[in-house]
mmCIF file of all heavy atoms in Angstrom:
data_model
loop_
_atom_site.group_PDB
_atom_site.id
_atom_site.type_symbol
_atom_site.label_atom_id
_atom_site.label_comp_id
_atom_site.label_asym_id
_atom_site.label_seq_id
_atom_site.Cartn_x
_atom_site.Cartn_y
_atom_site.Cartn_z
ATOM 1 N N THR A 65 -90.852 -37.451 21.335
ATOM 2 C CA THR A 65 -91.440 -37.747 22.678
ATOM 3 C C THR A 65 -91.308 -39.302 22.870
ATOM 4 O O THR A 65 -91.711 -39.854 23.892
ATOM 5 C CB THR A 65 -92.887 -37.422 22.624
ATOM 6 O OG1 THR A 65 -93.566 -38.081 21.554
ATOM 7 C CG2 THR A 65 -93.154 -35.879 22.621
ATOM 8 N N ASP A 66 -90.599 -40.025 22.049
ATOM 9 C CA ASP A 66 -90.496 -41.435 22.248
ATOM 10 C C ASP A 66 -89.876 -41.846 23.565
ATOM 11 O O ASP A 66 -90.220 -42.957 24.067
ATOM 12 C CB ASP A 66 -89.692 -42.178 21.102
ATOM 13 C CG ASP A 66 -90.598 -42.418 19.892
ATOM 14 O OD1 ASP A 66 -91.807 -42.506 20.025
ATOM 15 O OD2 ASP A 66 -90.005 -42.541 18.740
ATOM 16 N N GLY A 68 -90.406 -40.749 26.314
ATOM 17 C CA GLY A 68 -91.291 -40.635 27.401
ATOM 18 C C GLY A 68 -91.136 -39.161 27.917
ATOM 19 O O GLY A 68 -90.346 -38.323 27.417
ATOM 20 N N LYS A 161 -108.013 -36.075 20.699
ATOM 21 C CA LYS A 161 -108.461 -37.505 20.862
ATOM 22 C C LYS A 161 -107.613 -38.181 21.956
ATOM 23 O O LYS A 161 -106.362 -38.002 21.947
ATOM 24 C CB LYS A 161 -108.198 -38.110 19.474
ATOM 25 C CG LYS A 161 -109.267 -39.120 19.022
ATOM 26 C CD LYS A 161 -109.100 -39.486 17.668
ATOM 27 C CE LYS A 161 -110.155 -40.604 17.322
ATOM 28 N NZ LYS A 161 -110.018 -41.080 15.960
ATOM 29 N N HIS A 162 -108.228 -39.052 22.712
ATOM 30 C CA HIS A 162 -107.557 -39.830 23.735
ATOM 31 C C HIS A 162 -106.929 -38.907 24.865
ATOM 32 O O HIS A 162 -106.009 -39.391 25.479
ATOM 33 C CB HIS A 162 -106.497 -40.745 23.139
ATOM 34 C CG HIS A 162 -106.911 -41.405 21.973
ATOM 35 N ND1 HIS A 162 -108.109 -41.904 21.645
ATOM 36 C CD2 HIS A 162 -106.152 -41.744 20.812
ATOM 37 C CE1 HIS A 162 -108.117 -42.488 20.477
ATOM 38 N NE2 HIS A 162 -106.915 -42.290 19.906
ATOM 39 N N PRO A 164 -106.346 -37.113 28.334
ATOM 40 C CA PRO A 164 -106.682 -37.308 29.672
ATOM 41 C C PRO A 164 -107.438 -36.046 30.230
ATOM 42 O O PRO A 164 -107.386 -35.066 29.743
ATOM 43 C CB PRO A 164 -105.306 -37.314 30.506
ATOM 44 C CG PRO A 164 -104.413 -36.489 29.594
ATOM 45 C CD PRO A 164 -104.922 -36.584 28.322
ATOM 46 N N ALA A 271 -94.515 -42.290 -0.494
ATOM 47 C CA ALA A 271 -95.898 -42.426 0.005
ATOM 48 C C ALA A 271 -95.950 -43.039 1.373
ATOM 49 O O ALA A 271 -96.811 -42.767 2.271
ATOM 50 C CB ALA A 271 -96.778 -43.121 -0.980
ATOM 51 N N SER A 272 -95.118 -44.081 1.565
ATOM 52 C CA SER A 272 -95.083 -44.792 2.764
ATOM 53 C C SER A 272 -94.820 -43.904 3.975
ATOM 54 O O SER A 272 -95.106 -44.194 5.145
ATOM 55 C CB SER A 272 -94.112 -45.943 2.800
ATOM 56 O OG SER A 272 -94.366 -46.804 1.762
ATOM 57 N N ALA A 274 -95.963 -41.272 4.882
ATOM 58 C CA ALA A 274 -97.215 -40.662 5.358
ATOM 59 C C ALA A 274 -97.648 -41.566 6.506
ATOM 60 O O ALA A 274 -98.504 -41.133 7.359
ATOM 61 C CB ALA A 274 -98.373 -40.428 4.416
ATOM 62 N N LEU A 275 -97.183 -42.927 6.552
ATOM 63 C CA LEU A 275 -97.658 -43.723 7.657
ATOM 64 C C LEU A 275 -96.861 -43.569 8.969
ATOM 65 O O LEU A 275 -97.374 -44.005 9.927
ATOM 66 C CB LEU A 275 -97.592 -45.236 7.174
ATOM 67 C CG LEU A 275 -98.411 -45.547 5.925
ATOM 68 C CD1 LEU A 275 -97.906 -46.863 5.294
ATOM 69 C CD2 LEU A 275 -99.838 -45.709 6.249
ATOM 70 N N TYR A 276 -95.665 -43.157 8.716
ATOM 71 C CA TYR A 276 -94.654 -43.261 9.853
ATOM 72 C C TYR A 276 -95.046 -42.353 11.085
ATOM 73 O O TYR A 276 -95.153 -41.117 10.919
ATOM 74 C CB TYR A 276 -93.249 -43.012 9.362
ATOM 75 C CG TYR A 276 -92.223 -43.363 10.475
ATOM 76 C CD1 TYR A 276 -92.068 -44.637 10.836
ATOM 77 C CD2 TYR A 276 -91.483 -42.351 11.028
ATOM 78 C CE1 TYR A 276 -91.177 -45.019 11.889
ATOM 79 C CE2 TYR A 276 -90.571 -42.748 12.029
ATOM 80 C CZ TYR A 276 -90.353 -44.049 12.404
ATOM 81 O OH TYR A 276 -89.414 -44.337 13.431
ATOM 82 N N GLU A 277 -95.376 -42.920 12.143
ATOM 83 C CA GLU A 277 -95.594 -42.143 13.372
ATOM 84 C C GLU A 277 -96.763 -41.328 13.280
ATOM 85 O O GLU A 277 -96.917 -40.255 14.054
ATOM 86 C CB GLU A 277 -94.320 -41.337 13.773
ATOM 87 C CG GLU A 277 -93.194 -42.155 14.268
ATOM 88 C CD GLU A 277 -92.003 -41.348 14.715
ATOM 89 O OE1 GLU A 277 -91.839 -40.224 14.255
ATOM 90 O OE2 GLU A 277 -91.223 -41.792 15.490
ATOM 91 N N THR A 278 -97.687 -41.494 12.304
ATOM 92 C CA THR A 278 -98.891 -40.764 12.221
ATOM 93 C C THR A 278 -100.106 -41.438 12.635
ATOM 94 O O THR A 278 -100.085 -42.689 12.331
ATOM 95 C CB THR A 278 -99.066 -40.226 10.851
ATOM 96 O OG1 THR A 278 -99.243 -41.377 9.927
ATOM 97 C CG2 THR A 278 -97.929 -39.360 10.259
ATOM 98 N N ALA A 279 -101.065 -40.982 13.159
ATOM 99 C CA ALA A 279 -102.353 -41.641 13.506
ATOM 100 C C ALA A 279 -103.199 -41.810 12.254
ATOM 101 O O ALA A 279 -103.850 -42.861 11.972
ATOM 102 C CB ALA A 279 -103.077 -40.991 14.627
ATOM 103 N N ASN A 280 -103.128 -40.762 11.316
ATOM 104 C CA ASN A 280 -104.050 -40.840 10.124
ATOM 105 C C ASN A 280 -103.122 -40.502 8.979
ATOM 106 O O ASN A 280 -102.460 -39.355 8.980
ATOM 107 C CB ASN A 280 -105.137 -39.916 10.290
ATOM 108 C CG ASN A 280 -106.040 -39.704 9.106
ATOM 109 O OD1 ASN A 280 -105.656 -39.915 7.984
ATOM 110 N ND2 ASN A 280 -107.314 -39.304 9.338
ATOM 111 N N PRO A 281 -102.956 -41.296 8.016
ATOM 112 C CA PRO A 281 -102.034 -40.951 6.893
ATOM 113 C C PRO A 281 -102.447 -39.985 5.889
ATOM 114 O O PRO A 281 -101.742 -39.505 4.981
ATOM 115 C CB PRO A 281 -101.877 -42.331 6.204
ATOM 116 C CG PRO A 281 -103.090 -43.134 6.309
ATOM 117 C CD PRO A 281 -103.638 -42.555 7.729
ATOM 118 N N ARG A 331 -88.302 -43.910 41.209
ATOM 119 C CA ARG A 331 -88.364 -45.272 40.846
ATOM 120 C C ARG A 331 -87.058 -46.033 41.157
ATOM 121 O O ARG A 331 -86.023 -45.598 41.174
ATOM 122 C CB ARG A 331 -88.732 -45.579 39.389
ATOM 123 C CG ARG A 331 -90.030 -44.984 39.041
ATOM 124 C CD ARG A 331 -90.748 -45.832 37.936
ATOM 125 N NE ARG A 331 -90.187 -45.516 36.706
ATOM 126 C CZ ARG A 331 -90.552 -46.236 35.470
ATOM 127 N NH1 ARG A 331 -91.360 -47.221 35.647
ATOM 128 N NH2 ARG A 331 -89.955 -45.858 34.459
ATOM 129 N N SER A 375 -96.333 -47.589 44.052
ATOM 130 C CA SER A 375 -96.865 -48.624 43.038
ATOM 131 C C SER A 375 -95.701 -49.709 42.958
ATOM 132 O O SER A 375 -94.534 -49.305 42.708
ATOM 133 C CB SER A 375 -97.101 -47.952 41.645
ATOM 134 O OG SER A 375 -96.550 -48.850 40.679
ATOM 135 N N ARG A 379 -93.131 -57.235 35.860
ATOM 136 C CA ARG A 379 -93.122 -57.680 34.461
ATOM 137 C C ARG A 379 -92.251 -58.988 34.388
ATOM 138 O O ARG A 379 -91.237 -59.058 34.967
ATOM 139 C CB ARG A 379 -92.427 -56.756 33.506
ATOM 140 C CG ARG A 379 -92.900 -55.281 33.837
ATOM 141 C CD ARG A 379 -94.015 -54.806 32.904
ATOM 142 N NE ARG A 379 -94.665 -53.591 33.508
ATOM 143 C CZ ARG A 379 -94.264 -52.410 33.615
ATOM 144 N NH1 ARG A 379 -93.100 -52.086 33.038
ATOM 145 N NH2 ARG A 379 -94.953 -51.434 34.069
ATOM 146 N N SER A 456 -94.518 -38.400 33.701
ATOM 147 C CA SER A 456 -95.543 -38.762 32.796
ATOM 148 C C SER A 456 -96.154 -37.679 31.999
ATOM 149 O O SER A 456 -96.246 -36.565 32.473
ATOM 150 C CB SER A 456 -96.705 -39.503 33.372
ATOM 151 O OG SER A 456 -97.627 -39.927 32.453
ATOM 152 N N PHE A 457 -96.384 -37.918 30.734
ATOM 153 C CA PHE A 457 -97.240 -36.925 29.877
ATOM 154 C C PHE A 457 -98.551 -36.846 30.517
ATOM 155 O O PHE A 457 -99.243 -37.758 30.858
ATOM 156 C CB PHE A 457 -97.286 -37.257 28.468
ATOM 157 C CG PHE A 457 -95.982 -37.267 27.682
ATOM 158 C CD1 PHE A 457 -95.364 -38.358 27.206
ATOM 159 C CD2 PHE A 457 -95.344 -36.086 27.587
ATOM 160 C CE1 PHE A 457 -94.237 -38.251 26.467
ATOM 161 C CE2 PHE A 457 -94.148 -35.878 26.862
ATOM 162 C CZ PHE A 457 -93.530 -37.017 26.300
ATOM 163 N N LEU A 459 -100.736 -33.980 29.251
ATOM 164 C CA LEU A 459 -101.467 -33.201 28.358
ATOM 165 C C LEU A 459 -101.563 -33.714 26.943
ATOM 166 O O LEU A 459 -100.596 -34.181 26.403
ATOM 167 C CB LEU A 459 -101.005 -31.737 28.272
ATOM 168 C CG LEU A 459 -101.033 -30.807 29.621
ATOM 169 C CD1 LEU A 459 -100.192 -29.621 29.360
ATOM 170 C CD2 LEU A 459 -102.442 -30.548 29.922
ATOM 171 N N ASN A 460 -102.784 -33.777 26.391
ATOM 172 C CA ASN A 460 -102.928 -34.075 24.926
ATOM 173 C C ASN A 460 -103.975 -33.001 24.416
ATOM 174 O O ASN A 460 -105.059 -33.368 24.115
ATOM 175 C CB ASN A 460 -103.383 -35.418 24.713
ATOM 176 C CG ASN A 460 -103.217 -35.880 23.227
ATOM 177 O OD1 ASN A 460 -102.451 -35.208 22.455
ATOM 178 N ND2 ASN A 460 -103.953 -36.740 22.792
ATOM 179 N N LYS B 42 -95.684 -48.300 16.192
ATOM 180 C CA LYS B 42 -95.004 -47.240 16.757
ATOM 181 C C LYS B 42 -95.930 -46.246 17.338
ATOM 182 O O LYS B 42 -97.037 -46.247 17.035
ATOM 183 C CB LYS B 42 -94.382 -46.508 15.383
ATOM 184 C CG LYS B 42 -93.244 -45.453 15.708
ATOM 185 C CD LYS B 42 -91.950 -46.050 16.147
ATOM 186 C CE LYS B 42 -90.820 -45.081 16.327
ATOM 187 N NZ LYS B 42 -91.041 -43.882 17.103
ATOM 188 N N ASN B 43 -95.335 -45.375 18.200
ATOM 189 C CA ASN B 43 -96.101 -44.256 18.756
ATOM 190 C C ASN B 43 -96.561 -43.360 17.624
ATOM 191 O O ASN B 43 -95.722 -43.133 16.824
ATOM 192 C CB ASN B 43 -95.314 -43.517 19.815
ATOM 193 C CG ASN B 43 -94.866 -44.314 21.027
ATOM 194 O OD1 ASN B 43 -95.535 -45.175 21.314
ATOM 195 N ND2 ASN B 43 -93.730 -43.907 21.560
ATOM 196 N N ALA B 44 -97.730 -42.843 17.704
ATOM 197 C CA ALA B 44 -98.036 -41.686 16.940
ATOM 198 C C ALA B 44 -98.366 -40.481 18.039
ATOM 199 O O ALA B 44 -99.500 -40.270 18.309
ATOM 200 C CB ALA B 44 -99.248 -41.889 16.015
ATOM 201 N N PRO B 46 -97.485 -39.244 22.136
ATOM 202 C CA PRO B 46 -97.466 -39.959 23.396
ATOM 203 C C PRO B 46 -98.752 -40.862 23.672
ATOM 204 O O PRO B 46 -98.793 -41.683 24.575
ATOM 205 C CB PRO B 46 -97.253 -38.980 24.413
ATOM 206 C CG PRO B 46 -96.806 -37.781 23.682
ATOM 207 C CD PRO B 46 -97.406 -37.826 22.347
ATOM 208 N N TRP B 47 -99.835 -40.516 22.965
ATOM 209 C CA TRP B 47 -101.205 -41.024 23.470
ATOM 210 C C TRP B 47 -101.726 -42.022 22.512
ATOM 211 O O TRP B 47 -102.795 -42.628 22.753
ATOM 212 C CB TRP B 47 -102.119 -39.915 23.606
ATOM 213 C CG TRP B 47 -101.708 -38.857 24.571
ATOM 214 C CD1 TRP B 47 -100.890 -37.781 24.332
ATOM 215 C CD2 TRP B 47 -101.876 -38.962 26.075
ATOM 216 N NE1 TRP B 47 -100.653 -37.151 25.570
ATOM 217 C CE2 TRP B 47 -101.139 -37.789 26.624
ATOM 218 C CE3 TRP B 47 -102.497 -39.785 26.987
ATOM 219 C CZ2 TRP B 47 -101.095 -37.494 27.931
ATOM 220 C CZ3 TRP B 47 -102.487 -39.499 28.307
ATOM 221 C CH2 TRP B 47 -101.841 -38.370 28.771
ATOM 222 N N THR B 48 -101.095 -42.364 21.410
ATOM 223 C CA THR B 48 -101.663 -43.057 20.369
ATOM 224 C C THR B 48 -100.715 -44.131 19.823
ATOM 225 O O THR B 48 -99.498 -43.822 19.664
ATOM 226 C CB THR B 48 -102.071 -42.229 19.115
ATOM 227 O OG1 THR B 48 -103.024 -41.122 19.743
ATOM 228 C CG2 THR B 48 -102.870 -42.909 18.028
ATOM 229 N N THR B 50 -99.899 -46.819 16.667
ATOM 230 C CA THR B 50 -100.316 -47.027 15.201
ATOM 231 C C THR B 50 -99.606 -48.227 14.749
ATOM 232 O O THR B 50 -98.454 -48.480 15.085
ATOM 233 C CB THR B 50 -100.073 -45.865 14.385
ATOM 234 O OG1 THR B 50 -100.767 -46.025 13.089
ATOM 235 C CG2 THR B 50 -98.586 -45.481 14.014
ATOM 236 N N ASP B 52 -98.737 -50.394 11.142
ATOM 237 C CA ASP B 52 -98.768 -50.276 9.594
ATOM 238 C C ASP B 52 -98.436 -51.740 9.150
ATOM 239 O O ASP B 52 -97.462 -52.458 9.574
ATOM 240 C CB ASP B 52 -97.478 -49.496 9.208
ATOM 241 C CG ASP B 52 -97.723 -48.028 9.678
ATOM 242 O OD1 ASP B 52 -98.877 -47.606 9.857
ATOM 243 O OD2 ASP B 52 -96.671 -47.357 9.785
ATOM 244 N N MET B 54 -97.699 -53.402 5.649
ATOM 245 C CA MET B 54 -97.338 -52.934 4.275
ATOM 246 C C MET B 54 -97.032 -54.108 3.352
ATOM 247 O O MET B 54 -96.361 -55.120 3.740
ATOM 248 C CB MET B 54 -96.025 -51.975 4.471
ATOM 249 C CG MET B 54 -96.433 -50.821 5.206
ATOM 250 S SD MET B 54 -94.964 -49.968 5.961
ATOM 251 C CE MET B 54 -94.599 -48.919 4.516
ATOM 252 N N ASP B 87 -109.184 -46.779 14.637
ATOM 253 C CA ASP B 87 -109.393 -46.121 13.322
ATOM 254 C C ASP B 87 -108.488 -46.956 12.349
ATOM 255 O O ASP B 87 -107.436 -47.169 12.491
ATOM 256 C CB ASP B 87 -108.879 -44.701 13.426
ATOM 257 C CG ASP B 87 -109.754 -43.807 14.168
ATOM 258 O OD1 ASP B 87 -110.971 -44.066 14.283
ATOM 259 O OD2 ASP B 87 -109.143 -42.935 14.831
ATOM 260 N N PHE B 89 -107.312 -47.462 8.274
ATOM 261 C CA PHE B 89 -107.127 -46.825 6.907
ATOM 262 C C PHE B 89 -106.507 -47.776 6.005
ATOM 263 O O PHE B 89 -105.475 -48.394 6.167
ATOM 264 C CB PHE B 89 -106.109 -45.584 7.112
ATOM 265 C CG PHE B 89 -106.534 -44.682 8.171
ATOM 266 C CD1 PHE B 89 -105.997 -44.841 9.431
ATOM 267 C CD2 PHE B 89 -107.399 -43.480 7.881
ATOM 268 C CE1 PHE B 89 -106.382 -43.848 10.484
ATOM 269 C CE2 PHE B 89 -107.686 -42.689 8.880
ATOM 270 C CZ PHE B 89 -107.186 -42.855 10.246
ATOM 271 N N TYR B 91 -104.596 -47.638 2.803
ATOM 272 C CA TYR B 91 -103.784 -46.515 2.275
ATOM 273 C C TYR B 91 -103.219 -47.108 0.949
ATOM 274 O O TYR B 91 -102.024 -47.642 0.999
ATOM 275 C CB TYR B 91 -102.840 -46.002 3.216
ATOM 276 C CG TYR B 91 -102.054 -44.848 2.826
ATOM 277 C CD1 TYR B 91 -102.619 -43.600 2.443
ATOM 278 C CD2 TYR B 91 -100.625 -44.945 2.798
ATOM 279 C CE1 TYR B 91 -101.721 -42.602 2.067
ATOM 280 C CE2 TYR B 91 -99.866 -43.958 2.324
ATOM 281 C CZ TYR B 91 -100.367 -42.676 2.061
ATOM 282 O OH TYR B 91 -99.614 -41.763 1.571
ATOM 283 N N PRO B 93 -101.648 -45.656 -1.737
ATOM 284 C CA PRO B 93 -100.478 -45.179 -2.310
ATOM 285 C C PRO B 93 -99.231 -45.910 -1.773
ATOM 286 O O PRO B 93 -98.142 -46.039 -2.487
ATOM 287 C CB PRO B 93 -100.470 -43.702 -1.818
ATOM 288 C CG PRO B 93 -101.790 -43.291 -1.614
ATOM 289 C CD PRO B 93 -102.432 -44.502 -1.177
ATOM 290 N N ALA B 94 -99.398 -46.527 -0.563
ATOM 291 C CA ALA B 94 -98.212 -47.382 -0.132
ATOM 292 C C ALA B 94 -98.513 -48.714 0.097
ATOM 293 O O ALA B 94 -97.806 -49.521 0.700
ATOM 294 C CB ALA B 94 -97.685 -46.831 1.299
ATOM 295 N N ALA B 96 -100.767 -50.201 1.882
ATOM 296 C CA ALA B 96 -100.757 -50.394 3.362
ATOM 297 C C ALA B 96 -102.019 -50.347 4.010
ATOM 298 O O ALA B 96 -102.868 -49.576 3.635
ATOM 299 C CB ALA B 96 -99.769 -49.399 3.966
ATOM 300 N N LYS B 98 -103.354 -49.386 7.733
ATOM 301 C CA LYS B 98 -102.970 -48.864 8.971
ATOM 302 C C LYS B 98 -104.147 -48.730 9.934
ATOM 303 O O LYS B 98 -105.296 -48.486 9.578
ATOM 304 C CB LYS B 98 -102.517 -47.327 8.623
ATOM 305 C CG LYS B 98 -102.006 -46.578 9.861
ATOM 306 C CD LYS B 98 -101.770 -45.136 9.350
ATOM 307 C CE LYS B 98 -100.873 -44.393 10.432
ATOM 308 N NZ LYS B 98 -99.540 -44.905 10.532
ATOM 309 N N SER B 100 -105.012 -47.241 14.066
ATOM 310 C CA SER B 100 -104.475 -46.420 15.248
ATOM 311 C C SER B 100 -105.536 -46.511 16.418
ATOM 312 O O SER B 100 -106.587 -46.602 16.025
ATOM 313 C CB SER B 100 -104.314 -44.931 14.804
ATOM 314 O OG SER B 100 -103.399 -44.835 13.668
ATOM 315 N N PRO B 102 -105.881 -45.647 20.968
ATOM 316 C CA PRO B 102 -105.238 -45.088 22.090
ATOM 317 C C PRO B 102 -104.325 -46.036 22.891
ATOM 318 O O PRO B 102 -104.660 -47.233 23.024
ATOM 319 C CB PRO B 102 -106.494 -44.616 22.978
ATOM 320 C CG PRO B 102 -107.654 -45.397 22.430
ATOM 321 C CD PRO B 102 -107.319 -45.753 21.077
ATOM 322 N N ASN B 107 -96.769 -42.913 26.678
ATOM 323 C CA ASN B 107 -95.420 -43.691 26.572
ATOM 324 C C ASN B 107 -94.469 -43.114 27.583
ATOM 325 O O ASN B 107 -94.482 -41.926 27.881
ATOM 326 C CB ASN B 107 -94.708 -43.584 25.173
ATOM 327 C CG ASN B 107 -94.163 -42.220 24.854
ATOM 328 O OD1 ASN B 107 -95.001 -41.228 24.912
ATOM 329 N ND2 ASN B 107 -93.091 -42.246 24.505
ATOM 330 N N HIS B 109 -94.740 -43.659 30.773
ATOM 331 C CA HIS B 109 -95.560 -43.633 32.093
ATOM 332 C C HIS B 109 -94.967 -44.916 32.757
ATOM 333 O O HIS B 109 -94.717 -45.948 32.284
ATOM 334 C CB HIS B 109 -96.905 -43.724 31.866
ATOM 335 C CG HIS B 109 -97.846 -43.752 33.107
ATOM 336 N ND1 HIS B 109 -97.995 -44.801 33.848
ATOM 337 C CD2 HIS B 109 -98.531 -42.715 33.706
ATOM 338 C CE1 HIS B 109 -98.694 -44.453 34.885
ATOM 339 N NE2 HIS B 109 -99.045 -43.223 34.781
ATOM 340 N N PRO B 110 -94.842 -44.834 34.138
ATOM 341 C CA PRO B 110 -94.432 -46.052 34.914
ATOM 342 C C PRO B 110 -95.141 -47.335 34.632
ATOM 343 O O PRO B 110 -94.464 -48.405 34.704
ATOM 344 C CB PRO B 110 -94.560 -45.586 36.382
ATOM 345 C CG PRO B 110 -94.475 -44.100 36.459
ATOM 346 C CD PRO B 110 -95.010 -43.646 35.115
ATOM 347 N N GLU B 111 -96.417 -47.290 34.193
ATOM 348 C CA GLU B 111 -97.114 -48.455 33.915
ATOM 349 C C GLU B 111 -97.021 -48.915 32.453
ATOM 350 O O GLU B 111 -97.416 -49.963 32.114
ATOM 351 C CB GLU B 111 -98.559 -48.410 34.202
ATOM 352 C CG GLU B 111 -98.975 -47.972 35.723
ATOM 353 C CD GLU B 111 -98.613 -49.137 36.531
ATOM 354 O OE1 GLU B 111 -98.716 -50.345 36.225
ATOM 355 O OE2 GLU B 111 -98.154 -48.898 37.775
ATOM 356 N N THR B 113 -95.321 -50.407 29.133
ATOM 357 C CA THR B 113 -94.332 -51.483 28.994
ATOM 358 C C THR B 113 -93.486 -51.289 27.664
ATOM 359 O O THR B 113 -92.624 -52.165 27.418
ATOM 360 C CB THR B 113 -95.031 -52.810 28.837
ATOM 361 O OG1 THR B 113 -95.992 -52.781 27.857
ATOM 362 C CG2 THR B 113 -95.743 -53.158 30.156
ATOM 363 N N ALA B 115 -91.880 -48.133 25.532
ATOM 364 C CA ALA B 115 -91.884 -46.672 25.376
ATOM 365 C C ALA B 115 -92.026 -46.224 23.896
ATOM 366 O O ALA B 115 -92.631 -45.145 23.684
ATOM 367 C CB ALA B 115 -90.629 -46.174 26.016
#
Side-chain angles (χ1 to χ4, degrees):
Chain A
T65 54
D66 275 340
K161 221 171 172 180
H162 319 319
S272 298
L275 299 164
Y276 190 66
E277 292 179 334
T278 60
N280 180 332
R331 295 213 284 175
S375 134
R379 315 263 157 75
S456 180
F457 288 118
L459 294 170
N460 191 24
Chain B
K42 190 74 170 60
N43 297 331
W47 301 90
T48 305
T50 191
D52 300 331
M54 300 160 83
D87 291 327
F89 305 92
Y91 181 65
K98 181 183 194 66
S100 303
N107 74 307
H109 184 281
E111 300 295 325
T113 54

